[in-house]
Amino acid sequence: MRNVKVALIEDDTAIVNMYVTRFNLTGGFEVRVANDGLHGLELIADFKPDIILLDMMMPRMSGIETLGRLRKLPKGESYRVIALTNMKDNDTVNKIKQLHVSDYLVKAEHSPGAIIDRIYDILGKH
């Protein structure tokens, strides 16, 4: 069975390192990282991930803008996206959910292991 391809679009180096380490320890994942939305869209086009972990607060292009642009691309609606953020206000949550995310997770409330479990659930790998 091939590895699950994960695009991690996140600007916080400590968070990137934490997730990449956990993916590597778990095994079965191929992870590529972009540190902003603009590079994230390029990564998605080249890598064609099975799932995208997308931070909402980033420089150059927010996660919401990235997701909006992704959804307008050919086959952009087919990508499974987990929105990762610490924003909980209703307006933000509603905007993100309107862009058809597979899940909306508050980073501070979910460990990397819990996020891996959600990836398995979303991809039907459990």
Side-chain angles (χ1 to χ4, degrees):
M1 181 167 79
R2 72 173 180 82
N3 287 339
V4 173
K5 293 169 66 174
V6 178
L8 175 57
I9 305 170
E10 167 68 61
D11 65 316
D12 185 317
T13 304
I15 291 173
V16 167
N17 291 339
M18 178 178 64
Y19 282 116
V20 169
T21 298
R22 183 57 193 256
F23 282 120
N24 289 338
L25 289 172
T26 301
F29 292 95
E30 180 181 351
V31 182
R32 302 233 179 121
V33 177
N35 62 1
D36 64 51
L38 196 57
H39 287 115
L41 290 172
E42 294 170 2
L43 171 68
I44 292 164
D46 292 339
F47 184 48
K48 301 197 180 5
D50 298 309
I51 196 157
I52 300 162
L53 300 179
L54 179 61
D55 182 24
M56 293 294 112
M57 300 281 293
M58 294 182 293
R60 294 181 63 190
M61 186 187 302
S62 73
I64 292 173
E65 186 180 351
T66 303
L67 191 52
R69 288 189 185 192
L70 173 66
R71 293 303 188 215
K72 291 177 185 172
L73 296 174
K75 299 188 180 183
E77 285 290 334
S78 66
Y79 283 104
R80 290 176 223 148
V81 177
I82 296 176
L84 289 175
T85 186
N86 281 318
M87 298 185 302
K88 297 184 195 181
D89 65 277
N90 288 336
D91 288 342
T92 302
V93 173
N94 289 334
K95 279 183 195 174
I96 294 167
K97 287 185 175 178
Q98 288 173 359
L99 293 167
H100 310 291
V101 294
S102 299
D103 210 342
Y104 178 97
L105 301 176
V106 177
K107 287 188 253 188
E109 297 174 0
H110 294 83
S111 69
I115 290 171
I116 287 173
D117 287 342
R118 272 309 288 140
I119 290 170
Y120 287 145
D121 291 343
I122 290 166
L123 297 178
K125 301 276 186 189
H126 268 199

